[in-house]
Amino acid sequence: MDYEYLDFLYQKYKGTALYNLLIEYDNKFNTVFPVNLIDQISTEDLTNAINSNKELTLQTDGNIY
């Protein structure tokens, strides 16, 4: 994982449930969750994605599924 990305997450989200979920998501799917979408995703959606092993994607309608 990109250290600049990890530093960004640490600085902005450290201590939040979202921080831990983003790290878990990124490790599970071997990807980096798009920074511009972080504020649009809920902890519930991230938890569901991790538990169902389904990577989230931004759809053309602007929603994340």
Side-chain angles (χ1 to χ4, degrees):
M1 203 182 310
D2 184 310
Y3 288 111
E4 189 174 316
Y5 174 76
L6 284 175
D7 187 53
F8 165 79
L9 288 183
Y10 184 83
Q11 296 298 322
K12 189 162 182 179
Y13 298 102
K14 181 66 177 164
T16 67
L18 190 57
Y19 174 81
N20 294 329
L21 286 169
L22 286 166
I23 296 296
E24 187 175 349
Y25 179 92
D26 295 346
N27 286 333
K28 181 167 193 138
F29 297 111
N30 196 30
T31 188
V32 173
F33 195 83
V35 172
N36 60 327
L37 300 178
I38 292 175
D39 290 332
Q40 297 177 35
I41 193 70
S42 70
T43 55
E44 182 180 354
D45 288 341
L46 275 174
T47 301
N48 289 339
I50 291 165
N51 291 337
S52 67
N53 202 32
K54 183 179 176 198
E55 192 169 347
L56 297 169
T57 56
L58 179 64
Q59 303 298 309
T60 54
D61 63 4
N63 291 314
I64 303 170
Y65 299 107

